[in-house]
Amino acid sequence: MSILDLISNRKSVRNYSDKHISDDDLRKILEAGRLAPSWMNVQSWQFILIKSQENKDLLAELSIGQQHVKNADALIVCVADISAWEKANITNIKSPALNPSLQCENGLLIRTMEQVIFPVSNMLLMAQELGIGACVIGALGSEVTGILPDVTETVKEKLGLGDKQIISSIITLGYDADNKETKKIRKSFEEVVSLEKIGNKF
């Protein structure tokens, strides 16, 4: 199956069977994330694999009670690690455009959150390749959203996260209990792709 086929067939799965995902497959998914591209090879991310029901319940609370967080076989907590820029070998780069650590707090946060998109995409495609359903959770408490600050603090302490490590998203994983074909509704190619200027057809 081609990469385009994987992308075309992927869907968000929220209802999971009782079948467990092997540790080998979980490692493959996480490895796909680890190998994602990163600006200046900073790799400003951390991934926390969650298998215990206790932590799944806590993260479901952080995710505004979304049941598929609680009922997934496993979760991957994707962390935007702002502290990674300080440790990177980029001090010789003096342009804020090229060195996000020289930007304002919001600029640094945005660039760090942006970087996490790449491993998340890789992990979703690896899960699809392995026949494992997945869903990205973005509606959750964090310092960025300002939602559920007390729960956010509890989760960060439980997961061992520092002040400069922010949960950007959670990937739920499990085998699809419904296995129904889902029609992917997207805007047409012409609506989202332009040549040289918005509105010019390619």
Side-chain angles (χ1 to χ4, degrees):
M1 183 178 291
S2 72
I3 298 247
L4 191 57
D5 288 332
L6 284 175
I7 294 169
S8 180
N9 293 330
R10 203 209 75 79
K11 63 180 181 179
S12 293
V13 175
R14 297 178 175 86
N15 188 20
Y16 304 109
S17 73
D18 293 333
K19 182 181 178 182
H20 291 300
I21 303 168
S22 71
D23 283 350
D24 184 54
D25 281 350
L26 289 171
R27 283 183 178 276
K28 288 176 182 176
I29 293 168
L30 289 158
E31 179 70 353
R34 186 185 72 85
L35 295 173
S38 169
W39 169 242
M40 294 297 293
N41 204 30
V42 170
Q43 303 171 69
S44 55
W45 50 62
Q46 294 282 333
F47 313 119
I48 305 172
L49 177 64
I50 303 294
K51 297 175 76 175
S52 73
Q53 192 59 53
E54 178 185 359
N55 280 340
K56 284 189 276 189
D57 290 346
L58 181 59
L59 288 162
E61 185 180 355
L62 185 71
S63 305
I64 333 296
Q66 296 181 68
Q67 288 300 301
H68 49 297
V69 177
K70 179 181 291 192
N71 298 332
D73 187 54
L75 308 174
I76 299 173
V77 178
C78 302
V79 178
D81 189 359
I82 296 171
S83 67
W85 300 99
E86 301 167 5
K87 303 168 189 174
N89 187 25
I90 57 174
T91 54
N92 61 319
I93 300 175
K94 304 304 180 184
S95 168
L98 299 175
N99 183 349
S101 67
L102 300 177
Q103 294 183 19
C104 66
E105 185 177 342
N106 282 345
L108 179 58
L109 174 62
I110 288 168
R111 287 304 306 273
T112 308
M113 297 288 274
E114 165 205 85
Q115 293 290 293
V116 185
I117 293 170
F118 307 131
V120 168
S121 295
N122 277 13
M123 289 189 281
L124 292 176
L125 290 178
M126 190 70 246
Q128 178 71 17
E129 168 72 16
L130 295 169
I132 296 167
C135 184
V136 179
I137 306 297
L140 45 77
S142 73
E143 300 92 319
V144 176
T145 64
I147 298 167
L148 298 172
D150 293 341
V151 181
T152 298
E153 185 177 340
T154 299
V155 169
K156 290 192 69 168
E157 183 177 349
K158 180 84 172 177
L159 301 186
L161 297 178
D163 291 339
K164 295 186 176 181
Q165 294 173 314
I166 298 170
I167 297 175
S168 67
S169 55
I170 298 169
I171 300 175
T172 64
L173 296 167
Y175 289 97
D176 191 352
D178 297 327
N179 208 23
K180 295 177 183 176
E181 186 175 343
T182 301
K183 184 177 180 180
K184 188 167 284 191
I185 301 172
R186 294 291 185 270
K187 293 179 181 179
S188 70
F189 187 90
E190 290 73 20
E191 287 179 278
V192 298
V193 177
S194 298
L195 177 63
E196 308 289 353
K197 180 180 178 181
I198 288 286
N200 286 351
K201 289 186 178 181
F202 170 46

